[in-house]
Amino acid sequence: MKIPAKYQGVRGPSLAALEPSQSESPGETFSDSALLDAYSSAVMAAVEKASPSVVNIEVRQQTSQGGHPAEAGGSGSGFILSRDGFILTNSHVVHGASQIRVALVDGREYPAELIGDDPDTDLAVIRIDAPGLLQAELGESAALRPGQLVIAIGNPYGFQTTVTAGVVSALGRSLRAQTGRLIDNVIQTDAALNPGNSGGPLVDSLGHVVGVNTAIIRPAQGICFATAIDTAKFVAAWLIKEGKFRRAVIGVAGQDVPLHRRVVRFYGLPVETGVLVIDLEKDSPGEKAGLQSGDVIIGFNDAPVVSIAALHKLLMAKEIGVESYLTVIRHTEKLRLAITPQEARNAVRDLAVQ
C-alpha cells in the first residue's frame, strides 16, 4: 500500500494493524449478528421441542358474594408428564377448583380431574383422557449453573404458548408457599413471568424441563422463581401414587453449601456438601433439638445429607413423631443432635404467589 505524502512521517498504528490479518477468514470470526443468530436458534429449537407438551388450564371455583353463591374463574399453565394424561402444574392454579378444563396446543380441549396437590411445594397433578399426547422431556435442575440460558413457556393472561427467555439468576433460593412453608432449592430467573405463567415449564437450551414456573415478586422487575424439577419429580410421583404428599418437617430454612476440605478430611466425612441452616421456626423440632443458624447438616440418622433435596427425601411420613438424629458441623466441631420431626402444618400466608 502506498502512503500519501501528507501522511508520511506521521506516527500511529502500523499498517499491519489496520489491515485484516492474513490468518483470519470470515468463517473464523463471529460477528454480533452471528452470535445473535446462534442465540435465537437455541431458543427456537428449545421452544419447538418443549411447546407441544405445554397446556392451558382453565378453572372454575364456587364462591359467594353477599351471601349468594357465585362462580369465579382463573387460568394457568401446565405441561404433560406422560402420554397417559398426567399433567404437572401449580397447586394454586387448581386448588379448590370445582371444574378444570385443559386446552392443548393443537386446539383440543378436555375436562381434567385433580389427582393430587401439595400446597407446601405449590405443585399439583391433574389428568385428562386424550389420545396422541406429547410428553415433556424432564431434565435435572442439579446440573444448572447461574448465568445459564433458560426459557419460560406458558399462557400469561390467556395468550397461549408465550415464550420469554433469560438466564438462571441464582440457585438454592427459598420461597414461601401460600401455606407459609418455605420451598427450598428454588430457581431464580429473569425470564419474565406474568399471571397465567404459573405451572408452565422452565426449560434449558435443549428443551428439557428444569423447573416449574411458580412466582414473581410483584414490585420488582426480573425477579421470578421456579420450583426445581428435581423436587417436582419427587413430589409428583407421590401425588400420582397417593393423591397427597404427607411429610415430616424439622422447621429449618437452609441452602446447599460446600464443606471445607479440611473438615471433610479431618472427620473422614462421606460427603463434601451439606445444608446450611439459615433460619429456624419458633418452637420447631430443629429449635428444640438445639440447632443454630450457621450449622451445616450433613446427616440424618445413618443417611448422608448432601443437599436440601436429599434431606426432603429422608423426611418422609414414617419419620413423624419418631426420635431421630441429625449430624451437623458447627464451626469445626462435629455434633450429633437428637430430633423428633413433626408433621407439616399450615402457617400464615405472608408472600403473594401468582
Side-chain angles (χ1 to χ4, degrees):
M1 178 184 294
K2 186 177 180 180
I3 304 175
K6 64 178 180 178
Y7 293 124
Q8 290 183 9
V10 177
R11 301 185 65 181
S14 67
L15 293 176
L18 297 175
E19 294 183 341
S21 170
Q22 298 300 316
S23 63
E24 294 179 351
S25 65
E28 293 174 336
T29 60
F30 283 103
S31 65
D32 289 344
S33 61
L35 289 172
L36 289 173
D37 286 345
Y39 173 83
S40 298
S41 296
V43 173
M44 289 188 293
V47 171
E48 185 176 355
K49 181 174 183 177
S51 60
S53 68
V54 181
V55 304
N56 184 41
I57 300 172
E58 297 286 341
V59 300
R60 306 298 295 178
Q61 292 178 321
Q62 299 297 327
T63 62
S64 62
Q65 292 182 352
H68 300 285
E71 193 176 56
S75 65
S77 305
F79 57 94
I80 299 168
L81 282 177
S82 64
R83 291 190 176 92
D84 51 356
F86 289 108
I87 294 169
L88 185 62
T89 185
N90 282 150
S91 171
H92 74 264
V93 171
V94 297
H95 187 76
S98 57
Q99 182 181 7
I100 307 172
R101 289 195 66 83
V102 169
L104 306 179
V105 291
D106 59 11
R108 291 181 292 165
E109 292 189 14
Y110 297 92
E113 63 172 321
L114 178 64
I115 299 301
D117 77 311
D118 181 42
D120 285 339
T121 53
D122 199 20
L123 294 169
V125 174
I126 61 176
R127 190 177 189 182
I128 60 174
D129 184 10
L133 297 177
L134 298 174
Q135 68 186 57
E137 187 169 341
L138 306 185
E140 295 183 358
S141 51
L144 288 175
R145 295 294 179 267
Q148 184 172 337
L149 170 67
V150 284
I151 301 126
I153 309 175
N155 308 286
Y157 296 105
F159 293 101
Q160 213 164 6
T161 320
T162 296
V163 175
T164 56
V167 298
V168 174
S169 303
L171 297 167
R173 296 298 197 206
S174 293
L175 180 69
R176 199 171 295 278
Q178 288 186 337
T179 61
R181 182 183 184 271
L182 286 172
I183 309 172
D184 293 312
N185 204 27
V186 172
I187 303 164
Q188 181 185 333
T189 176
D190 66 351
L193 301 180
N194 291 286
N197 272 116
S198 296
L202 185 72
V203 305
D204 61 16
S205 58
L206 299 176
H208 300 163
V209 181
V210 293
V212 182
N213 297 320
T214 299
I216 58 174
I217 295 181
R218 296 191 186 278
Q221 295 291 327
I223 301 181
C224 306
F225 300 96
T227 303
I229 196 63
D230 291 352
T231 300
K233 285 187 285 189
F234 181 64
V235 173
W238 280 95
L239 294 180
I240 292 171
K241 180 181 178 182
E242 303 285 345
K244 62 180 181 178
F245 192 86
R246 186 168 175 255
R247 62 170 57 77
V249 294
I250 59 175
V252 168
Q255 69 180 48
D256 300 346
V257 293
L259 296 171
H260 197 289
R261 282 181 288 182
R262 290 184 179 179
V263 174
V264 174
R265 287 198 301 265
F266 182 81
Y267 290 109
L269 300 179
V271 297
E272 295 183 353
T273 59
V275 176
L276 173 68
V277 177
I278 298 175
D279 195 14
L280 291 156
E281 294 181 9
K282 185 175 177 57
D283 297 325
S284 66
E287 185 181 71
K288 293 175 182 178
L291 271 175
Q292 299 177 8
S293 295
D295 289 349
V296 179
I297 301 171
I298 60 170
F300 180 79
N301 291 335
D302 296 323
V305 172
V306 297
S307 65
I308 291 168
L311 182 57
H312 280 171
K313 291 180 180 180
L314 295 170
L315 290 171
M316 299 303 295
K318 62 184 180 64
E319 308 296 341
I320 297 173
V322 177
E323 185 175 79
S324 305
Y325 295 92
L326 285 177
T327 304
V328 305
I329 299 295
R330 179 174 297 167
H331 304 301
T332 58
E333 186 180 4
K334 181 182 175 184
L335 303 175
R336 186 175 170 90
L337 304 176
I339 189 168
T340 303
Q342 65 186 25
E343 185 169 2
R345 62 185 187 280
N346 289 349
V348 178
R349 300 184 181 189
D350 58 2
L351 179 66
V353 179
Q354 79 172 52

